[in-house]
Amino acid sequence: MRRKGHFASCTAASPRECSCELRRYKIGLFITLGVCIFQILGSVLSGSLALLTDSAHVFSDTVGYGISIFVAHKAKDHAEEDAFRLRYMRASGGLLILVLLFSLSESVYRLRAETVVVDGPLLTAFAVVGGLGNLLQIKVMEGGEYNHTSRVQMLHILTDLLGSVLVIITGIIVWYSGLVRADSVLSAILSLVLIWLTARMMLTPEDAHHH
């Protein structure tokens, strides 16, 4: 029988031995939510579209943590756990694609605009803090056993970290060269890649998780 606060597939004798113990996921949820809000604020203050696009991906991870926590409390068995996860993953994935399509269209608009203002130092600073948040998530999640659920979540964290590194590089380019359109180019690239990854995850969830 499923125990409250554990995944249906959990067989650990105690929370100390539990590889899916939800404390890690709750901490991860608060970290990603904080990073997401911080990056949105940074996007507004710096004028960076790349930072806003990255925050959309971070928000999808926040939703992922929330789904994991919800599933652990509501699912009665392993099959229902998978069904809940798939249903909400596809719903959140569809919402993310809509946001990314908006970001892509805004990137194209900015590339064609005569004047674009992006604050390179601010962009870099906010992106660095976002990257530190990703590293903190890795530290939190690596405390558990490397199972199916943690593997998927770790993959999302690593793609977030990669996004943060790319935004940091873009911020430095804007800062030192004044090539503000680099921000729009990165935003367009991130949008296209994330749309592809999200669509793949929604259509073939098992393949996406195991490759």
Side-chain angles (χ1 to χ4, degrees):
M1 180 180 293
R2 180 188 66 84
R3 292 166 295 149
K4 185 177 181 180
H6 293 253
F7 294 114
S9 54
C10 178
T11 58
S14 69
R16 184 179 296 275
E17 301 172 5
C18 181
S19 62
C20 65
E21 201 261 311
L22 289 183
R23 182 177 60 86
R24 297 187 193 92
Y25 293 87
K26 291 176 181 178
I27 294 173
L29 185 148
F30 283 111
I31 292 172
T32 54
L33 184 59
V35 169
C36 180
I37 294 172
F38 189 78
Q39 287 189 327
I40 291 174
L41 176 63
S43 174
V44 172
L45 294 177
S46 68
S48 170
L49 192 57
L51 196 58
L52 183 62
T53 303
D54 192 44
S55 71
H57 189 216
V58 174
F59 181 71
S60 74
D61 289 347
T62 304
V63 173
Y65 280 119
I67 291 173
S68 293
I69 294 169
F70 175 81
V71 163
H73 284 287
K74 296 297 182 181
K76 296 182 177 65
D77 52 44
H78 194 32
E80 190 173 31
E81 179 182 305
D82 288 341
F84 269 129
R85 194 183 303 279
L86 180 60
R87 183 185 312 159
Y88 290 106
M89 179 188 69
R90 285 178 170 167
S92 63
L95 179 61
L96 176 60
I97 286 177
L98 289 177
V99 174
L100 291 170
L101 286 173
F102 167 78
S103 179
L104 180 60
S105 65
E106 185 66 17
S107 299
V108 173
Y109 171 79
R110 285 195 177 195
L111 285 170
R112 299 174 63 182
E114 292 184 5
T115 304
V116 178
V117 178
V118 178
D119 189 319
L122 265 182
L123 166 57
T124 305
F126 276 95
V128 167
V129 174
L132 292 175
N134 298 144
L135 292 175
L136 183 58
Q137 285 184 75
I138 293 174
K139 184 66 177 177
V140 170
M141 293 303 294
E142 70 182 3
E145 183 181 335
Y146 193 63
N147 57 18
H148 174 76
T149 303
S150 65
R151 182 171 65 248
V152 172
Q153 201 64 48
M154 186 64 77
L155 178 61
H156 283 290
I157 296 171
L158 290 174
T159 56
D160 273 343
L161 180 59
L162 176 59
S164 292
V165 170
L166 292 175
V167 176
I168 290 170
I169 293 172
T170 301
I172 293 173
I173 291 173
V174 173
W175 188 352
Y176 286 99
S177 71
L179 297 174
V180 295
R181 281 180 171 74
D183 179 76
S184 299
V185 170
L186 177 60
S187 177
I189 293 173
L190 283 177
S191 297
L192 288 171
V193 171
L194 292 174
I195 287 171
W196 178 75
L197 289 174
T198 304
R200 181 172 179 264
M201 178 188 69
M202 292 169 64
L203 295 174
T204 55
E206 290 303 316
D207 290 341
H209 289 170
H210 287 89
H211 288 80

